[in-house]
């Protein structure tokens, strides 16, 4: 079986064509990142790149597509619409597609309270084993064929202030995941756990306190060995830490649509094990 994993596609609206009142103060702060920081330029062609990655599912005859959060720049409704349009029919089918929100998708309290992510992608939060949900839709489970399962977790929280982008899964979801992993319906399946924040950096270390996954070690302890893989985004670097006897594979998808760094993982599963992955560049 083949899985395509991408992340941090950051579909970005034209912020300077929008009323400042509509943006709110958090996005006013973010305008510096868009302009001086160059984010708007780097993601100007993100819809085109995301559409190209969606087409790669057909080219590789992949069994499932996974996007581990940050569909948007700063959680505007128009950006969610743009992401949905770029993905096309692929995003219509939970059998083929799993998407979770990232911290940029809950960038403001209003975007979270209005359920903006769910209004566009809520149908992809359905679960084949809903009895293990503990926090809203999470964790949700998708049984893929006879050899794999995809589990979606929520780590993205509304930040107290821009600049704080750490993630927390929380005890409730971790308890639900622990119970799920004992379910005999997962026996013999490779298990992909999708979370936005990185359990480990590219150097194999914990991320900074203001940016990292606070309960990373609690997550990794539940997933020993090559049967398991954690798929994440957030860190805009593409890397793979192979599994050990005590730890799962860890795949960081990088930022899949950033100009000059477009790409994704093509991950192979056989015999209920995650075999590894190959980084791919889409045909733009």
């Amino acid at each position: 079986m083949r899985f395509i994993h991408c992340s941090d596609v950051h579909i970005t609206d034209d912020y300077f064509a929008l009323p400042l009142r509509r943006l709110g103060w958090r996005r006013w702060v973010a305008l510096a990142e868009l302009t001086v920081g160059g984010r708007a330029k780097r993601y100007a062609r993100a819809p085109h790149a995301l559409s190209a990655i969606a087409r790669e599912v057909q080219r590789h005859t992949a069994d499932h597509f996974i996007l581990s959060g940050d569909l948007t720049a700063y959680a505007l409704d128009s950006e969610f619409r743009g992401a949905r349009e770029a993905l096309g029919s692929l995003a219509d089918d939970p059998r083929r597609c799993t998407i979770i929100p990232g911290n940029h998708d809950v960038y403001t309290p209003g975007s979270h309270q209005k359920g903006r992510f769910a209004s566009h992608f809520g149908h992809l939060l359905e679960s084949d084993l809903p009895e293990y949900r503990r926090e809203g839709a999470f964790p949700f489970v998708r049984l893929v064929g006879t050899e794999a399962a995809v589990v979606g977790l929520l780590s993205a929280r509304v930040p107290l202030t821009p600049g704080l982008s750490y993630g927390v899964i929380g005890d409730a979801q971790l308890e639900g995941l622990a119970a799920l992993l004992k379910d005999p319906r997962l026996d013999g399946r490779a298990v992909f756990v999708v979370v936005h924040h990185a359990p480990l950096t590219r150097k194999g270390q914990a991320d900074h306190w203001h940016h990292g996954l606070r309960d990373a070690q609690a997550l990794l302890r539940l997933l020993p060995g090559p049967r398991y893989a954690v798929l994440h985004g957030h860190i805009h670097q593409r890397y793979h830490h192979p599994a050990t006897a005590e730890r799962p594979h860890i795949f960081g998808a990088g930022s899949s649509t950033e100009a000059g760094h477009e790409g994704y993982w093509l991950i192979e599963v056989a015999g209920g094990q995650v075999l590894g992955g190959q980084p791919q560049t889409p045909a733009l």
Side-chain angles (χ1 to χ4, degrees), residues 21-258:
R21 178 180 57 80
R22 177 185 167 192
L23 295 179
W25 73 268
R26 292 170 185 258
R27 296 192 186 94
W28 297 347
V29 175
L31 290 178
E33 186 177 36
L34 285 171
T35 54
V36 178
R39 180 182 285 272
K41 183 177 180 180
R42 295 198 305 273
Y43 291 98
R45 289 179 56 78
H48 174 70
L50 182 56
S51 293
I53 293 171
R55 291 194 297 271
E56 300 287 285
V57 177
Q58 301 300 329
R59 185 169 76 88
H60 290 296
T61 60
D63 296 277
H64 204 78
F65 170 83
I66 297 169
L67 202 168
S68 53
D70 278 3
L71 288 87
T72 67
Y74 301 109
L76 288 177
D77 192 61
S78 56
E79 293 171 340
F80 283 109
R81 286 198 305 270
R84 183 69 188 272
E85 291 168 4
L87 288 167
S89 61
L90 179 61
D92 295 338
D93 186 0
R95 299 293 96 202
R96 301 292 309 283
C97 181
T98 294
I99 300 177
I100 61 166
N103 61 295
H104 279 256
D105 303 322
V106 293
Y107 194 77
T108 65
S111 63
H112 174 65
Q113 291 162 7
K114 293 175 182 177
R116 197 162 287 163
F117 174 88
S119 69
H120 295 276
F121 295 98
H123 61 291
L124 297 179
L125 304 180
E126 297 174 4
S127 182
D128 291 333
L129 305 176
E131 61 269 33
Y132 296 107
R133 288 173 168 166
R134 296 296 186 270
E135 183 181 350
F138 300 94
F140 66 84
V141 188
R142 188 108 345 102
L143 303 178
V144 183
T146 59
E147 290 190 70
V150 179
V151 179
L153 297 176
L154 175 67
S155 64
R157 310 294 172 173
V158 179
L160 295 174
T161 183
L164 290 179
S165 56
Y166 60 84
V168 178
I169 299 168
D171 292 342
Q173 287 186 68
L174 289 170
E175 182 276 322
L177 175 62
L180 163 67
L181 294 174
K182 298 174 183 176
D183 191 300
R185 288 169 288 186
L186 265 63
D187 289 352
R189 293 177 181 266
V191 179
F192 291 102
V193 175
V194 188
V195 64
H196 180 64
H197 292 78
L200 295 174
T201 67
R202 186 171 198 159
K203 294 181 179 180
Q205 302 169 348
D207 200 356
H208 299 296
W209 73 270
H210 65 278
H211 193 261
L213 182 62
R214 294 286 176 89
D215 39 13
Q217 290 305 311
L219 172 64
L220 296 180
R221 282 195 294 269
L222 295 175
L223 307 168
R227 180 186 170 202
Y228 303 103
V230 174
L231 276 52
H232 72 84
H234 197 51
I235 295 178
H236 289 191
Q237 297 174 333
R238 195 165 296 116
Y239 55 91
H240 172 216
H241 294 302
T244 67
E246 296 79 27
R247 191 185 71 197
H249 292 275
I250 299 174
F251 290 93
S255 181
S256 294
T257 61
E258 183 178 2

Side-chain angles (χ1 to χ4, degrees), residues 13-20 23 31-32 34-35 40:
D13 202 345
D14 181 359
Y15 279 69
F16 296 97
L18 300 171
L20 283 177
L23 295 179
L31 290 178
L34 285 171
T35 54

